Amino acid sequence: MAEHLLSTAVHHTMPGNYVRPESQRPRLKEVVSGALIPVVDLACPDRAKVVAAIGDACRSHGFFQILNHGIDAGLMAAVMAVALEFFRLPAEEKAKLYSDDPAKKIRLSTSFNVRKETVHNWRDYLRLHCHPLDQFVPDWPANPPDFKETMSSYCKEVRELGFRLYAAISESLGLEVTYMKETLGEQEQHMAVNFYPPCPEPELTYGLPAHTDPNALTILLMDQDVAGLQVLHGGKWVAVNPQPGALIINIGDQLQALSNGQYRSVWHRAVVNSDRERLSVASFLCPCNDVELGPARKLVTEETPAVYQNYTYDEYYKKFWSRNLDQEHCLELFRT
């Protein structure tokens, strides 16, 4: 099955099943570059200022960069290095992990959901479940030899960072500092290690088309040298070029629901280029499957009635995977 992976070969021509209809192409010349992306310095001693900055970014953009987040730069570099080493393994080694089953908790695959798609995306990815680590790590890739140790260390750091961000997001909404963490239950944690090879005709396809994230919070470690992430802001696609050492945070669908629509789960996409491969490592904090989700009661008033009905994350996630990635916002299916 490894022959389905883009990373097993060099591509000089564009396969037809990756070419988007003209109306759906990325129109790369129209993308806004150099736009100001909100930046939050977590080392700022004024906590009220940090909380306000995070709230403003969640409300206006749905994403922001964080600096001085506490994750060691050496560990971040090691994560990117071991990820690249993994995708450069021989095809027969990668074939051991290949699956196109979205329900499989540890899998190497390509595009997004090849069982349903009519047009594929220019991406290979390694999907890992990360919590509890002792349950999943034994089944993670055995090669490269330092893969498990490096990624495990990063997962632990990211989880703690995510909980710190939940506290600030809760405060910014006027909720108890523990609200988000407690409401979302014993959370799952997933990781997608994304590999975007050089593409012969990048203007015809995507690494990933426009989508929102179905989870609660996404923490993205980006390639510092090769751009590719774009977010929709003010009706235009904006290129995201992170500051050195920064992580990108984006609000997922569940925080939009819990905030009663005050905070935005941002539409974003990944584009590719013809010259250089690109990597990213996305970490997803996800609600417990059976926890009931919906707008926080404190945010529902006569003036601001509930925008969304209550549901379980299991219901939401199944609905999300039953659709194409770039269909209407999945939350629209749960409006009151």
Side-chain angles (χ1 to χ4, degrees):
M1 300 293 280
E3 68 271 10
H4 297 298
L5 296 170
L6 292 166
S7 55
T8 57
V10 176
H11 302 272
H12 299 292
T13 58
M14 188 76 165
N17 57 351
Y18 287 87
V19 176
R20 293 265 162 184
E22 191 166 348
S23 62
Q24 298 177 15
R25 293 173 187 174
R27 297 177 184 171
L28 299 174
K29 292 180 180 178
E30 298 177 12
V31 173
V32 177
S33 59
L36 291 176
I37 306 299
V39 179
V40 180
D41 185 350
L42 296 187
C44 173
D46 186 344
R47 178 165 177 81
K49 185 177 180 180
V50 172
V51 168
I54 288 175
D56 288 346
C58 291
R59 195 172 284 108
S60 65
H61 286 71
F63 69 98
F64 52 97
Q65 306 180 58
I66 52 172
L67 298 172
N68 295 311
H69 40 67
I71 300 182
D72 183 74
L75 176 57
M76 291 164 61
V79 166
M80 296 296 274
V82 79
L84 183 57
E85 195 177 346
F86 171 81
F87 281 104
R88 288 180 173 168
L89 289 172
E92 58 271 17
E93 181 74 18
K94 290 187 287 192
K96 299 173 185 176
L97 289 161
Y98 184 84
S99 173
D100 61 7
D101 180 2
K104 195 166 183 183
K105 295 190 173 183
I106 296 166
R107 69 186 187 278
L108 173 63
S109 197
T110 191
S111 190
F112 176 70
N113 188 353
V114 291
R115 291 185 175 184
K116 287 186 86 286
E117 297 163 349
T118 54
V119 181
H120 297 323
N121 304 298
W122 201 261
R123 172 186 82 139
D124 288 349
Y125 66 98
L126 177 64
R127 186 81 176 196
L128 303 173
H129 276 228
C130 310
H131 182 78
L133 278 168
D134 57 2
Q135 179 179 335
F136 294 113
V137 169
D139 296 321
W140 284 9
N143 285 308
D146 55 345
F147 184 93
K148 292 181 180 181
E149 181 178 355
T150 300
M151 290 300 192
S152 294
S153 297
Y154 182 69
C155 286
K156 292 174 188 174
E157 297 283 340
V158 162
R159 190 172 182 85
E160 290 307 311
L161 172 60
F163 290 160
R164 286 165 55 204
L165 292 170
Y166 277 158
I169 290 168
S170 297
E171 281 186 81
S172 72
L173 286 163
L175 303 171
E176 293 293 326
V177 69
T178 57
Y179 181 84
M180 291 299 174
K181 184 179 178 184
E182 290 180 354
T183 300
L184 294 166
E186 181 58 33
Q187 289 168 75
E188 292 192 6
Q189 182 178 345
H190 310 164
M191 175 187 284
V193 185
N194 302 304
F195 180 76
Y196 305 96
C199 175
E201 296 184 83
E203 67 280 2
L204 301 183
T205 193
Y206 292 101
L208 276 176
H211 64 285
T212 65
D213 288 350
N215 52 298
L217 191 72
T218 301
I219 300 174
L220 182 69
L221 173 58
M222 281 182 63
D223 195 317
Q224 293 282 336
D225 300 319
V226 188
L229 175 65
Q230 298 175 353
V231 295
L232 191 62
H233 182 64
K236 295 182 179 180
W237 286 103
V238 176
V240 178
N241 298 300
Q243 294 192 14
L247 291 167
I248 304 296
I249 309 300
N250 72 268
I251 298 302
D253 295 352
Q254 306 318 314
L255 291 191
Q256 178 169 323
L258 289 172
S259 73
N260 201 27
Q262 289 189 42
Y263 290 175
R264 297 171 51 208
S265 178
V266 65
W267 286 93
H268 54 289
R269 67 185 190 181
V271 298
V272 291
N273 70 85
S274 59
D275 303 316
R276 302 179 67 181
E277 62 196 10
R278 187 173 78 89
L279 275 170
S280 70
V281 179
S283 296
F284 308 102
L285 288 181
C286 309
C288 179
N289 272 339
D290 59 2
V291 73
E292 188 173 74
L293 300 167
R297 288 183 182 178
K298 190 174 180 179
L299 303 179
V300 177
T301 66
E302 285 189 12
E303 294 75 28
T304 57
V307 178
Y308 304 105
Q309 59 189 279
N310 287 2
Y311 53 85
T312 66
Y313 187 58
D314 184 57
E315 291 172 330
Y316 193 90
Y317 202 62
K318 285 176 179 173
K319 186 73 73 175
F320 180 86
W321 274 97
S322 71
R323 305 155 66 254
N324 289 326
L325 187 61
D326 53 356
Q327 281 182 252
E328 68 170 349
H329 202 308
C330 192
L331 266 179
E332 292 299 310
L333 305 176
F334 294 87
R335 277 192 175 270
T336 50

